[in-house]
Amino acid sequence: MSKVCIIAWIHGTVQGVGFRYSTQREATTLGLTGYARNMDDGSVEVVACGEAEKVEQLVAWLKAGGPRSARVEKVLSEPHQPGREYVNFGIRY
């Protein structure tokens, strides 16, 4: 199993709707590590690391709209090499 990391930026109505918490729950269920955090421009940044197939499942979930209360307009993602290894999937402030 190859381990990969991605960084993604989710744009739309994604702050104040439980997006980070839903993403944390979904990522934890998939066995991924990383974090989700709100950005100043109203987007949410997500770093996810784990098995390639599981990371792809999370990206698909993000692109499908995430939690019901969110309105995702676009998801931009790219491969990422974090400076450290994450032990869980957290929420950053």
Side-chain angles (χ1 to χ4, degrees):
M1 299 285 166
S2 63
K3 186 173 179 190
V4 300
C5 292
I6 59 103
I7 186 166
W9 298 273
I10 300 87
H11 298 268
T13 306
V14 292
Q15 289 189 12
V17 294
F19 196 91
R20 292 173 300 161
Y21 298 97
S22 296
T23 302
Q24 180 186 43
R25 186 172 55 246
E26 190 72 17
T28 300
T29 299
L30 291 169
L32 303 177
T33 61
Y35 66 84
R37 73 172 165 190
N38 286 344
M39 303 301 287
D40 291 340
D41 67 357
S43 66
V44 171
E45 178 183 83
V46 172
V47 170
C49 301
E51 293 177 23
E53 182 181 314
K54 301 293 186 181
V55 171
E56 287 172 20
Q57 286 178 24
L58 181 67
V59 171
W61 180 83
L62 294 168
K63 288 180 177 179
R68 278 183 292 209
S69 52
R71 291 194 52 229
V72 173
E73 293 170 9
K74 71 178 174 181
V75 176
L76 305 172
S77 65
E78 61 187 44
H80 182 60
Q81 294 206 323
R84 65 185 198 85
E85 184 123 349
Y86 300 103
V87 295
N88 60 12
F89 195 95
I91 293 175
R92 293 204 175 160
Y93 299 94

Coordinates of all heavy atoms in Angstrom, one line a residue:
M1 N 0.8 -1.2 0.0 CA 0.0 0.0 0.0 C 0.9 1.2 0.0 O 1.7 1.4 0.9 CB -0.9 0.0 1.3 CG -1.8 -1.1 1.4 SD -3.2 -1.0 0.3 CE -3.8 -2.6 0.3
S2 N 0.7 2.1 -1.0 CA 1.5 3.3 -1.0 C 0.8 4.4 -0.2 O -0.4 4.6 -0.3 CB 1.7 3.8 -2.5 OG 0.4 4.1 -3.0
K3 N 1.6 5.2 0.5 CA 1.1 6.2 1.3 C 1.3 7.6 0.6 O 2.3 7.8 0.1 CB 1.8 6.3 2.7 CG 1.2 7.3 3.6 CD 1.8 7.2 5.0 CE 1.1 8.3 5.9 NZ 1.8 8.5 7.1
V4 N 0.2 8.3 0.5 CA 0.3 9.6 -0.2 C -0.3 10.7 0.7 O -1.0 10.4 1.7 CB -0.5 9.6 -1.5 CG1 0.0 8.5 -2.5 CG2 -2.0 9.4 -1.3
C5 N 0.0 11.9 0.4 CA -0.6 13.1 1.1 C -1.1 14.1 0.0 O -0.4 14.2 -1.0 CB 0.4 13.8 2.0 SG 0.9 12.8 3.4
I6 N -2.2 14.7 0.3 CA -2.7 15.8 -0.6 C -3.0 17.0 0.3 O -3.2 16.9 1.5 CB -3.9 15.4 -1.4 CG1 -5.1 15.0 -0.5 CG2 -3.6 14.2 -2.4 CD1 -6.1 16.0 -0.3
I7 N -3.0 18.1 -0.4 CA -3.5 19.4 0.2 C -4.6 19.8 -0.7 O -4.5 19.8 -1.9 CB -2.4 20.4 0.5 CG1 -2.9 21.6 1.3 CG2 -1.8 20.8 -0.9 CD1 -1.9 22.5 1.8
A8 N -5.7 20.2 -0.1 CA -6.9 20.6 -0.9 C -7.5 21.9 -0.3 O -7.4 22.1 1.0 CB -7.9 19.5 -0.9
W9 N -8.0 22.7 -1.1 CA -8.8 23.9 -0.7 C -10.2 23.8 -1.2 O -10.4 23.6 -2.4 CB -8.1 25.2 -1.3 CG -6.7 25.3 -0.8 CD1 -6.3 25.9 0.4 CD2 -5.5 24.8 -1.3 NE1 -4.9 25.8 0.6 CE2 -4.4 25.1 -0.5 CE3 -5.2 24.1 -2.5 CZ2 -3.1 24.8 -0.8 CZ3 -3.9 23.7 -2.8 CH2 -2.9 24.1 -2.0
I10 N -11.1 23.9 -0.3 CA -12.5 23.8 -0.6 C -13.2 25.1 -0.5 O -13.1 25.8 0.5 CB -13.2 22.8 0.3 CG1 -12.5 21.4 0.2 CG2 -14.7 22.6 0.0 CD1 -11.4 21.2 1.1
H11 N -13.8 25.5 -1.6 CA -14.4 26.9 -1.7 C -15.9 26.7 -1.8 O -16.4 25.7 -2.3 CB -13.9 27.6 -3.0 CG -12.4 27.8 -2.9 ND1 -11.9 29.0 -2.4 CD2 -11.4 27.1 -3.3 CE1 -10.6 28.9 -2.5 NE2 -10.2 27.8 -3.1
G12 N -16.6 27.7 -1.3 CA -18.1 27.7 -1.3 C -18.6 28.1 0.1 O -17.8 28.8 0.8
T13 N -19.7 27.7 0.5 CA -20.2 27.9 1.8 C -19.8 26.8 2.7 O -20.4 25.7 2.8 CB -21.8 28.0 1.8 OG1 -22.2 29.0 0.9 CG2 -22.3 28.4 3.2
V14 N -18.5 26.9 3.2 CA -17.9 25.8 3.9 C -17.4 26.2 5.3 O -16.8 25.4 6.0 CB -16.7 25.2 3.1 CG1 -17.3 24.5 1.8 CG2 -15.7 26.3 2.7
Q15 N -17.7 27.4 5.7 CA -17.3 27.8 7.1 C -18.6 28.1 7.9 O -19.6 28.6 7.3 CB -16.4 29.1 7.1 CG -15.0 28.8 6.6 CD -14.0 29.9 6.8 OE1 -14.3 30.9 7.5 NE2 -12.9 29.8 6.2
G16 N -18.6 27.7 9.1 CA -19.8 27.9 10.0 C -20.9 26.9 9.7 O -22.0 27.1 10.2
V17 N -20.6 25.8 9.1 CA -21.6 24.8 8.7 C -21.1 23.4 9.2 O -21.7 22.4 8.8 CB -21.9 24.7 7.2 CG1 -22.6 26.0 6.8 CG2 -20.7 24.5 6.4
G18 N -20.1 23.3 10.1 CA -19.6 22.0 10.6 C -18.7 21.3 9.6 O -18.5 20.1 9.7
F19 N -18.2 22.0 8.6 CA -17.4 21.3 7.5 C -16.2 20.7 8.1 O -15.9 19.5 7.7 CB -17.0 22.4 6.4 CG -16.6 21.7 5.2 CD1 -17.5 21.4 4.2 CD2 -15.3 21.4 5.0 CE1 -17.1 20.8 3.0 CE2 -14.9 20.8 3.8 CZ -15.8 20.5 2.8
R20 N -15.4 21.4 8.9 CA -14.2 20.8 9.4 C -14.5 19.5 10.3 O -13.7 18.6 10.2 CB -13.4 21.8 10.3 CG -12.8 23.0 9.5 CD -12.2 24.0 10.3 NE -13.3 24.5 11.2 CZ -13.1 25.2 12.3 NH1 -11.8 25.5 12.8 NH2 -14.0 25.7 13.1
Y21 N -15.5 19.6 11.1 CA -15.8 18.5 12.0 C -16.3 17.3 11.1 O -15.9 16.1 11.4 CB -16.9 18.9 13.0 CG -16.4 20.0 13.9 CD1 -16.7 21.3 13.6 CD2 -15.5 19.7 15.0 CE1 -16.2 22.3 14.4 CE2 -15.0 20.7 15.8 CZ -15.3 22.0 15.5 OH -14.8 23.0 16.3
S22 N -17.1 17.5 10.1 CA -17.6 16.4 9.3 C -16.4 15.8 8.5 O -16.3 14.6 8.3 CB -18.6 16.9 8.3 OG -19.8 17.4 8.9
T23 N -15.5 16.7 8.0 CA -14.3 16.2 7.3 C -13.4 15.4 8.3 O -12.9 14.3 7.9 CB -13.5 17.4 6.8 OG1 -14.3 18.1 5.9 CG2 -12.2 16.9 6.0
Q24 N -13.3 15.8 9.5 CA -12.5 15.1 10.5 C -13.1 13.7 10.7 O -12.4 12.7 10.7 CB -12.5 15.8 11.8 CG -11.7 15.1 12.9 CD -11.7 15.8 14.3 OE1 -12.8 16.2 14.7 NE2 -10.6 15.9 14.9
R25 N -14.4 13.6 10.8 CA -15.1 12.3 11.1 C -14.9 11.4 9.8 O -14.6 10.2 10.0 CB -16.6 12.6 11.3 CG -17.4 11.3 11.7 CD -18.8 11.6 12.2 NE -19.5 12.4 11.2 CZ -20.0 13.6 11.4 NH1 -19.8 14.3 12.5 NH2 -20.7 14.3 10.4
E26 N -15.1 12.0 8.7 CA -14.9 11.2 7.4 C -13.5 10.7 7.3 O -13.3 9.5 7.0 CB -15.3 12.0 6.2 CG -15.4 11.3 4.9 CD -16.6 10.4 4.8 OE1 -17.6 10.6 5.6 OE2 -16.6 9.5 4.0
A27 N -12.5 11.5 7.5 CA -11.1 11.2 7.4 C -10.7 10.1 8.4 O -10.0 9.2 8.1 CB -10.2 12.4 7.5
T28 N -11.2 10.3 9.6 CA -10.9 9.3 10.7 C -11.5 7.9 10.4 O -10.8 6.9 10.5 CB -11.4 9.8 12.1 OG1 -10.8 11.1 12.4 CG2 -11.1 8.8 13.2
T29 N -12.7 7.9 9.8 CA -13.4 6.7 9.4 C -12.5 6.0 8.3 O -12.4 4.8 8.3 CB -14.8 7.0 8.9 OG1 -15.5 7.6 9.9 CG2 -15.5 5.7 8.4
L30 N -11.9 6.8 7.5 CA -11.1 6.2 6.4 C -9.7 5.9 6.8 O -8.9 5.3 6.1 CB -11.0 7.2 5.2 CG -12.3 7.4 4.4 CD1 -12.2 8.6 3.5 CD2 -12.7 6.2 3.7
G31 N -9.3 6.2 8.1 CA -8.0 5.9 8.6 C -6.9 6.9 8.2 O -5.7 6.6 8.1
L32 N -7.3 8.1 7.8 CA -6.4 9.1 7.4 C -5.9 10.0 8.5 O -6.5 10.1 9.5 CB -7.0 10.0 6.3 CG -7.6 9.3 5.1 CD1 -8.3 10.2 4.1 CD2 -6.5 8.5 4.4
T33 N -4.7 10.6 8.2 CA -4.2 11.6 9.2 C -4.1 13.0 8.4 O -4.1 13.0 7.2 CB -2.8 11.2 9.7 OG1 -1.9 11.1 8.6 CG2 -2.9 9.9 10.5
G34 N -3.9 14.0 9.2 CA -3.8 15.4 8.6 C -4.6 16.4 9.4 O -4.7 16.2 10.7
Y35 N -5.2 17.3 8.7 CA -6.0 18.3 9.4 C -6.9 19.1 8.5 O -6.8 19.0 7.3 CB -5.1 19.4 10.1 CG -4.3 20.2 9.2 CD1 -4.8 21.4 8.6 CD2 -3.0 19.9 8.9 CE1 -4.1 22.1 7.7 CE2 -2.2 20.6 8.0 CZ -2.8 21.8 7.4 OH -2.0 22.5 6.6
A36 N -7.9 19.8 9.1 CA -8.8 20.7 8.3 C -8.7 22.0 9.1 O -8.7 22.1 10.3 CB -10.2 20.2 8.3
R37 N -8.7 23.1 8.3 CA -8.7 24.5 9.0 C -9.3 25.5 8.1 O -9.3 25.4 6.9 CB -7.3 24.9 9.4 CG -6.4 25.3 8.3 CD -5.1 26.0 8.8 NE -4.2 26.1 7.7 CZ -2.9 26.4 7.9 NH1 -2.5 26.6 9.1 NH2 -2.1 26.5 6.9
N38 N -10.0 26.5 8.8 CA -10.6 27.6 8.0 C -9.5 28.5 7.6 O -8.5 28.8 8.3 CB -11.6 28.3 8.9 CG -12.9 27.6 9.2 OD1 -13.2 26.7 8.4 ND2 -13.6 28.0 10.2
M39 N -9.7 29.1 6.4 CA -8.8 30.1 5.8 C -9.4 31.4 5.9 O -10.6 31.6 5.9 CB -8.4 29.7 4.4 CG -7.7 28.3 4.3 SD -6.3 28.0 5.3 CE -5.1 29.0 4.3
D40 N -8.6 32.5 5.8 CA -9.1 33.8 5.9 C -10.0 34.2 4.7 O -10.8 35.1 4.8 CB -7.9 34.8 6.0 CG -7.2 34.8 7.3 OD1 -7.8 34.3 8.3 OD2 -6.1 35.2 7.4
D41 N -9.8 33.5 3.6 CA -10.6 33.9 2.4 C -12.0 33.2 2.4 O -12.7 33.2 1.4 CB -9.8 33.6 1.1 CG -9.6 32.1 0.9 OD1 -10.0 31.2 1.7 OD2 -9.0 31.7 -0.2
G42 N -12.3 32.4 3.4 CA -13.6 31.8 3.5 C -13.6 30.3 3.1 O -14.6 29.6 3.1
S43 N -12.4 29.9 2.6 CA -12.3 28.5 2.2 C -11.8 27.6 3.4 O -11.6 28.1 4.4 CB -11.3 28.3 1.0 OG -10.0 28.7 1.5
V44 N -11.8 26.3 3.1 CA -11.3 25.4 4.1 C -10.1 24.6 3.5 O -10.2 24.2 2.4 CB -12.3 24.4 4.6 CG1 -11.7 23.3 5.5 CG2 -13.4 25.1 5.4
E45 N -9.0 24.6 4.2 CA -7.8 23.8 3.8 C -7.8 22.5 4.4 O -8.0 22.4 5.6 CB -6.5 24.6 4.2 CG -5.2 23.9 3.8 CD -4.0 24.7 4.2 OE1 -3.6 24.5 5.4 OE2 -3.5 25.4 3.4
V46 N -7.5 21.4 3.6 CA -7.5 20.0 4.2 C -6.2 19.4 3.7 O -5.8 19.4 2.6 CB -8.7 19.2 3.6 CG1 -8.5 17.7 4.0 CG2 -10.0 19.8 4.2
V47 N -5.5 18.9 4.7 CA -4.3 18.0 4.4 C -4.7 16.6 4.8 O -5.1 16.4 5.9 CB -3.0 18.5 5.1 CG1 -1.9 17.4 5.0 CG2 -2.6 19.8 4.6
A48 N -4.6 15.7 3.9 CA -4.9 14.3 4.2 C -3.8 13.3 3.7 O -3.3 13.4 2.6 CB -6.2 13.9 3.5
C49 N -3.4 12.4 4.6 CA -2.4 11.5 4.3 C -2.9 10.1 4.7 O -3.5 9.9 5.7 CB -1.1 11.8 5.2 SG -0.4 13.4 4.9
G50 N -2.5 9.1 3.9 CA -2.8 7.7 4.1 C -2.7 6.9 2.8 O -2.1 7.3 1.8
E51 N -3.4 5.8 2.8 CA -3.4 4.9 1.6 C -4.1 5.7 0.4 O -5.1 6.4 0.6 CB -4.2 3.7 1.8 CG -3.6 2.7 2.9 CD -4.5 1.5 3.1 OE1 -5.4 1.2 2.2 OE2 -4.4 0.9 4.2
A52 N -3.4 5.6 -0.7 CA -3.9 6.4 -1.9 C -5.4 6.2 -2.2 O -6.1 7.2 -2.4 CB -3.1 6.0 -3.1
E53 N -5.9 5.0 -2.1 CA -7.3 4.8 -2.3 C -8.2 5.5 -1.3 O -9.2 6.1 -1.7 CB -7.6 3.3 -2.3 CG -9.0 2.9 -2.6 CD -9.2 1.4 -2.5 OE1 -8.4 0.6 -3.0 OE2 -10.2 1.0 -1.8
K54 N -7.8 5.5 -0.1 CA -8.6 6.2 1.0 C -8.5 7.7 0.8 O -9.5 8.4 1.0 CB -8.1 5.8 2.4 CG -8.1 4.3 2.7 CD -9.6 3.8 2.7 CE -9.6 2.3 3.1 NZ -11.0 1.8 3.2
V55 N -7.4 8.2 0.5 CA -7.2 9.7 0.2 C -8.2 10.1 -1.0 O -8.9 11.1 -0.9 CB -5.8 10.1 -0.1 CG1 -5.7 11.5 -0.5 CG2 -4.9 9.9 1.2
E56 N -8.2 9.3 -2.0 CA -9.0 9.5 -3.1 C -10.5 9.5 -2.7 O -11.3 10.3 -3.2 CB -8.8 8.5 -4.3 CG -7.5 8.7 -5.0 CD -7.2 7.6 -5.9 OE1 -8.1 6.8 -6.4 OE2 -6.0 7.4 -6.3
Q57 N -10.9 8.6 -1.8 CA -12.3 8.6 -1.3 C -12.6 9.8 -0.6 O -13.7 10.3 -0.8 CB -12.5 7.3 -0.4 CG -12.5 6.0 -1.1 CD -12.7 4.8 -0.2 OE1 -13.2 5.0 0.9 NE2 -12.2 3.7 -0.6
L58 N -11.7 10.4 0.2 CA -12.0 11.6 0.9 C -12.1 12.8 -0.1 O -13.0 13.6 0.1 CB -10.9 11.9 1.9 CG -11.1 13.2 2.7 CD1 -12.3 13.1 3.6 CD2 -9.9 13.6 3.5
V59 N -11.2 12.8 -1.1 CA -11.3 13.9 -2.1 C -12.7 13.8 -2.8 O -13.3 14.8 -3.1 CB -10.1 13.9 -3.1 CG1 -10.4 14.8 -4.2 CG2 -8.8 14.2 -2.3
A60 N -13.1 12.6 -3.1 CA -14.4 12.4 -3.8 C -15.5 12.9 -2.9 O -16.5 13.5 -3.4 CB -14.6 10.9 -4.2
W61 N -15.4 12.6 -1.6 CA -16.4 13.1 -0.6 C -16.5 14.6 -0.6 O -17.5 15.2 -0.6 CB -16.1 12.5 0.7 CG -17.1 12.8 1.8 CD1 -18.3 12.3 2.1 CD2 -16.9 13.9 2.8 NE1 -18.9 12.9 3.2 CE2 -18.1 13.9 3.6 CE3 -15.9 14.8 3.1 CZ2 -18.2 14.8 4.7 CZ3 -16.0 15.7 4.1 CH2 -17.2 15.7 4.9
L62 N -15.3 15.2 -0.6 CA -15.2 16.7 -0.6 C -15.8 17.3 -1.8 O -16.6 18.2 -1.8 CB -13.7 17.1 -0.5 CG -13.0 16.8 0.8 CD1 -11.5 17.1 0.7 CD2 -13.6 17.6 2.0
K63 N -15.5 16.7 -3.0 CA -16.1 17.2 -4.2 C -17.6 16.9 -4.4 O -18.3 17.7 -5.0 CB -15.3 16.5 -5.4 CG -13.9 17.0 -5.6 CD -13.2 16.4 -6.8 CE -11.9 17.0 -7.0 NZ -11.1 16.3 -8.1
A64 N -18.1 15.9 -3.7 CA -19.5 15.6 -3.7 C -20.3 16.6 -2.8 O -21.5 16.6 -2.8 CB -19.8 14.2 -3.2
G65 N -19.6 17.4 -2.0 CA -20.3 18.4 -1.3 C -20.1 18.4 0.2 O -20.5 19.2 1.0
G66 N -19.4 17.3 0.7 CA -19.1 17.3 2.2 C -20.4 17.1 2.9 O -21.3 16.4 2.5
P67 N -20.5 17.8 4.1 CA -21.8 17.6 4.9 C -23.0 18.3 4.2 O -22.8 19.2 3.3 CB -21.4 18.4 6.2 CG -20.3 19.3 5.8 CD -19.6 18.6 4.7
R68 N -24.2 17.9 4.5 CA -25.4 18.4 3.9 C -25.5 19.9 4.0 O -26.1 20.6 3.1 CB -26.6 17.8 4.5 CG -26.9 16.4 3.9 CD -28.1 15.9 4.5 NE -27.9 15.6 5.9 CZ -28.5 14.7 6.6 NH1 -29.4 14.0 6.0 NH2 -28.2 14.5 7.8
S69 N -25.0 20.5 5.1 CA -25.2 22.0 5.3 C -24.3 22.8 4.5 O -24.4 24.0 4.4 CB -25.1 22.3 6.8 OG -23.8 21.7 7.3
A70 N -23.3 22.2 3.9 CA -22.3 23.0 3.1 C -22.7 23.1 1.6 O -23.5 22.3 1.1 CB -20.9 22.3 3.2
R71 N -22.2 24.1 1.0 CA -22.4 24.2 -0.5 C -21.0 24.4 -1.1 O -20.4 25.4 -1.1 CB -23.2 25.4 -0.8 CG -24.7 25.2 -0.4 CD -25.7 26.1 -0.9 NE -25.6 26.2 -2.4 CZ -25.5 27.4 -3.0 NH1 -25.5 28.6 -2.3 NH2 -25.4 27.4 -4.3
V72 N -20.4 23.3 -1.6 CA -19.1 23.3 -2.2 C -19.2 23.7 -3.7 O -20.0 23.2 -4.4 CB -18.5 21.9 -2.1 CG1 -17.2 21.8 -2.9 CG2 -18.2 21.5 -0.7
E73 N -18.4 24.8 -4.0 CA -18.4 25.3 -5.3 C -17.2 24.7 -6.1 O -17.3 24.4 -7.3 CB -18.4 26.8 -5.3 CG -19.6 27.4 -4.8 CD -19.5 28.9 -4.5 OE1 -18.5 29.5 -4.9 OE2 -20.5 29.4 -3.9
K74 N -16.1 24.6 -5.5 CA -14.9 24.0 -6.2 C -13.9 23.4 -5.1 O -13.8 23.9 -4.0 CB -14.2 24.9 -7.1 CG -13.5 26.0 -6.5 CD -12.8 26.9 -7.5 CE -12.2 28.1 -6.8 NZ -11.5 29.0 -7.8
V75 N -13.2 22.4 -5.6 CA -12.2 21.8 -4.7 C -10.9 21.7 -5.6 O -10.9 21.2 -6.7 CB -12.6 20.3 -4.3 CG1 -11.4 19.7 -3.6 CG2 -13.8 20.3 -3.5
L76 N -9.9 22.3 -5.1 CA -8.5 22.3 -5.7 C -7.6 21.5 -4.9 O -7.6 21.6 -3.7 CB -8.0 23.7 -5.8 CG -8.8 24.8 -6.5 CD1 -8.2 26.1 -6.4 CD2 -9.0 24.4 -8.0
S77 N -6.9 20.5 -5.5 CA -6.1 19.6 -4.7 C -4.8 19.4 -5.5 O -4.8 19.4 -6.7 CB -6.7 18.3 -4.3 OG -7.0 17.6 -5.4
E78 N -3.7 19.1 -4.7 CA -2.5 18.7 -5.3 C -1.7 17.8 -4.4 O -2.0 17.8 -3.2 CB -1.7 20.0 -5.7 CG -1.3 20.9 -4.4 CD -0.7 22.2 -4.8 OE1 -1.1 22.8 -5.8 OE2 0.3 22.6 -4.1
P79 N -0.7 17.1 -4.9 CA 0.1 16.3 -4.0 C 0.8 17.2 -3.0 O 1.1 18.3 -3.3 CB 1.1 15.6 -4.9 CG 0.5 15.7 -6.3 CD -0.4 16.9 -6.3
H80 N 1.1 16.6 -1.8 CA 1.7 17.4 -0.7 C 2.7 16.6 0.0 O 2.5 15.4 0.2 CB 0.6 17.9 0.2 CG 1.0 18.8 1.3 ND1 1.6 20.0 1.1 CD2 1.0 18.6 2.7 CE1 1.9 20.5 2.3 NE2 1.5 19.7 3.2
Q81 N 3.8 17.2 0.4 CA 4.8 16.6 1.2 C 4.9 17.4 2.5 O 5.7 18.3 2.6 CB 6.1 16.5 0.5 CG 6.1 15.6 -0.7 CD 7.4 15.0 -1.0 OE1 8.4 15.6 -0.9 NE2 7.4 13.7 -1.5
P82 N 4.2 17.0 3.6 CA 4.2 17.8 4.8 C 5.6 17.6 5.5 O 6.3 16.7 5.3 CB 3.1 17.1 5.7 CG 2.9 15.8 5.1 CD 3.3 15.8 3.6
G83 N 5.9 18.7 6.2 CA 7.2 18.7 6.9 C 7.2 17.7 8.1 O 8.3 17.5 8.7
R84 N 6.1 17.2 8.5 CA 6.1 16.2 9.6 C 5.0 15.2 9.3 O 4.2 15.3 8.5 CB 5.8 17.0 10.9 CG 4.4 17.6 11.0 CD 4.3 18.4 12.2 NE 2.9 18.7 12.6 CZ 2.1 17.9 13.2 NH1 2.5 16.7 13.6 NH2 0.9 18.2 13.5
E85 N 5.1 14.1 10.1 CA 4.1 13.0 10.1 C 3.0 13.3 11.1 O 3.2 13.7 12.2 CB 4.8 11.7 10.4 CG 3.8 10.6 10.3 CD 4.4 9.5 9.3 OE1 5.3 9.8 8.6 OE2 3.8 8.4 9.3
Y86 N 1.7 13.2 10.6 CA 0.6 13.4 11.5 C 0.2 12.1 12.2 O 0.3 11.0 11.6 CB -0.6 14.0 10.7 CG -0.3 15.3 10.0 CD1 0.0 15.3 8.7 CD2 -0.2 16.5 10.7 CE1 0.3 16.5 8.0 CE2 0.1 17.6 10.1 CZ 0.4 17.7 8.8 OH 0.7 18.8 8.2
V87 N -0.2 12.2 13.4 CA -0.6 11.0 14.2 C -2.1 10.8 14.1 O -2.6 9.7 14.4 CB -0.1 11.0 15.6 CG1 1.4 11.0 15.6 CG2 -0.6 12.2 16.4
N88 N -2.9 11.8 13.8 CA -4.3 11.7 13.7 C -4.9 12.8 12.7 O -4.1 13.4 12.1 CB -5.0 11.9 15.1 CG -4.7 13.2 15.7 OD1 -4.2 14.1 15.1 ND2 -5.0 13.4 17.0
F89 N -6.2 12.9 12.7 CA -6.7 14.0 11.8 C -7.3 15.0 12.7 O -8.3 14.7 13.5 CB -7.8 13.4 10.9 CG -8.1 14.3 9.8 CD1 -7.5 14.2 8.5 CD2 -9.0 15.4 9.9 CE1 -7.8 15.1 7.5 CE2 -9.3 16.3 8.9 CZ -8.7 16.1 7.7
G90 N -6.7 16.2 12.7 CA -7.2 17.2 13.7 C -7.8 18.4 13.0 O -7.9 18.5 11.8
I91 N -8.3 19.3 13.9 CA -8.9 20.5 13.4 C -8.0 21.6 13.9 O -7.6 21.7 15.1 CB -10.3 20.7 14.0 CG1 -11.2 19.6 13.3 CG2 -10.8 22.1 13.7 CD1 -12.6 19.6 13.9
R92 N -7.6 22.5 13.0 CA -6.7 23.6 13.3 C -7.5 24.9 13.3 O -8.5 25.1 12.6 CB -5.6 23.8 12.3 CG -4.7 22.6 12.4 CD -3.3 23.0 11.8 NE -2.4 21.9 12.0 CZ -1.3 21.8 11.3 NH1 -0.9 22.7 10.4 NH2 -0.4 20.8 11.5
Y93 N -7.0 25.8 14.2 CA -7.7 27.1 14.3 C -6.8 28.2 14.0 O -5.6 28.1 14.0 CB -8.2 27.3 15.8 CG -9.2 26.2 16.2 CD1 -8.8 25.1 16.8 CD2 -10.5 26.3 15.9 CE1 -9.6 24.0 17.2 CE2 -11.4 25.3 16.2 CZ -11.0 24.2 16.9 OH -11.9 23.2 17.2

